[in-house]
Amino acid sequence: MKVLDVIRYAGYTFAVGTVTEVIYIIYKRFSKKPKAKKAMTEVIFFPDSKVACVDYFTKTNGCMSRDCRFSHKENSLSKLFVTLSNSTRSMDVCVFVMTCTDLSDLLIRAHQRGVRVRVITDCEQVDATGSQVWRLRSEGIAVRTDESSFFMHHKFVVIDGETLINGSFNWTRQAITGNQENLLISNSPALVKEYRKQFEHLWSLYDPRST
Ligand SMILES: [Zn+2]
């Protein structure tokens, strides 16, 4: 009897060991680790020689104009258009001067497709010629300003909490085709985290209800 017990015990142990191993192999095969996002860093420089056609680069049907006077060739602005129009969840925009209608259109279109758009800009630029702030507000986009004699001088955007656009570029026609400007586009988590934090800090700081 004792020998039989030993054999039975050994059998159980073997069976349990085998089953455990099989479960582990199946687990390893089917439990995929979330893939790390591919690192992306790009730098774009302005001025562009021509203004890119916003419809051509961002609308499903492309440009419907027969005699479009804007560029259909990829350039710095077209890359910015595409990056902004790819937003699916959120766009946190912190830009000193905003007079470019094409870029504002992309914010409005994002807002209309359900993206949470928040804008921070400088109080002294709100009523500047061509300012898009009141247009954005009239479309229901939340815009906050610094209300200070100092400048809210940032020029950065965080898209979907994971892509940063940052540099010297104000959202003006002069910055597109006139000035020497740079923009860094990056999905570096370390960078994005700091800019997200700063945006949230300013968003709370400029909350009109807190003043
Ligand atoms: Zn066009």
Side-chain angles (χ1 to χ4, degrees), residues 53 55-56 63 65 68 70 72:
C53 173
D55 287 355
Y56 182 80
C63 176
S65 169
C68 179
F70 298 104
H72 289 187

Side-chain angles (χ1 to χ4, degrees), residues 53-63 81-82 84-88 91 101-117 135-136 139 141:
C53 173
V54 69
D55 287 355
Y56 182 80
F57 288 100
T58 62
K59 285 194 170 168
T60 319
N61 297 334
C63 176
F81 283 159
V82 171
L84 293 172
S85 65
N86 282 343
S87 60
T88 57
M91 256 208 278
T101 49
D102 285 346
L103 289 167
S104 303
D105 284 347
L106 293 183
L107 297 189
I108 293 166
R109 275 163 50 191
H111 172 69
Q112 288 169 345
R113 68 172 182 270
V115 173
R116 183 183 67 162
V117 180
R135 184 166 158 252
L136 296 174
E139 294 289 339
I141 293 174

Side-chain angles (χ1 to χ4, degrees), residues 32-181:
K32 286 180 186 165
K33 281 182 188 167
K35 276 186 186 168
K37 273 220 160 188
K38 213 176 154 195
M40 182 270 292
T41 305
E42 189 176 5
V43 187
I44 54 178
F45 294 102
F46 293 87
D48 284 337
S49 56
K50 279 188 87 178
V51 176
C53 173
V54 69
D55 287 355
Y56 182 80
F57 288 100
T58 62
K59 285 194 170 168
T60 319
N61 297 334
C63 176
M64 305 300 276
S65 169
R66 281 189 169 189
D67 50 356
C68 179
R69 60 196 175 91
F70 298 104
S71 174
H72 289 187
K73 282 187 185 161
E74 190 180 83
N75 61 15
S76 295
L77 184 63
S78 75
K79 286 178 187 168
L80 179 59
F81 283 159
V82 171
T83 308
L84 293 172
S85 65
N86 282 343
S87 60
T88 57
R89 298 190 303 277
S90 63
M91 256 208 278
D92 292 331
V93 180
C94 196
V95 172
F96 178 52
V97 189
M98 303 177 76
T99 55
C100 175
T101 49
D102 285 346
L103 289 167
S104 303
D105 284 347
L106 293 183
L107 297 189
I108 293 166
R109 275 163 50 191
H111 172 69
Q112 288 169 345
R113 68 172 182 270
V115 173
R116 183 183 67 162
V117 180
R118 297 184 293 178
V119 175
I120 295 174
T121 190
D122 186 81
C123 63
E124 287 169 44
Q125 298 300 323
V126 171
D127 297 316
T129 310
S131 170
Q132 296 294 298
V133 171
W134 292 108
R135 184 166 158 252
L136 296 174
R137 280 181 169 153
S138 72
E139 294 289 339
I141 293 174
V143 181
R144 292 185 182 177
T145 60
D146 58 328
E147 307 305 335
S148 146
S149 58
F150 294 103
F151 291 150
M152 197 315 292
H153 209 231
H154 289 303
K155 294 104 185 169
F156 73 85
V157 184
V158 179
I159 296 169
D160 294 337
E162 54 192 29
T163 303
L164 168 71
I165 304 170
N166 178 53
S168 62
F169 184 84
N170 275 308
W171 287 17
T172 66
R173 181 61 70 92
Q174 185 178 313
I176 297 166
T177 53
N179 298 349
Q180 300 296 337
E181 307 274 8

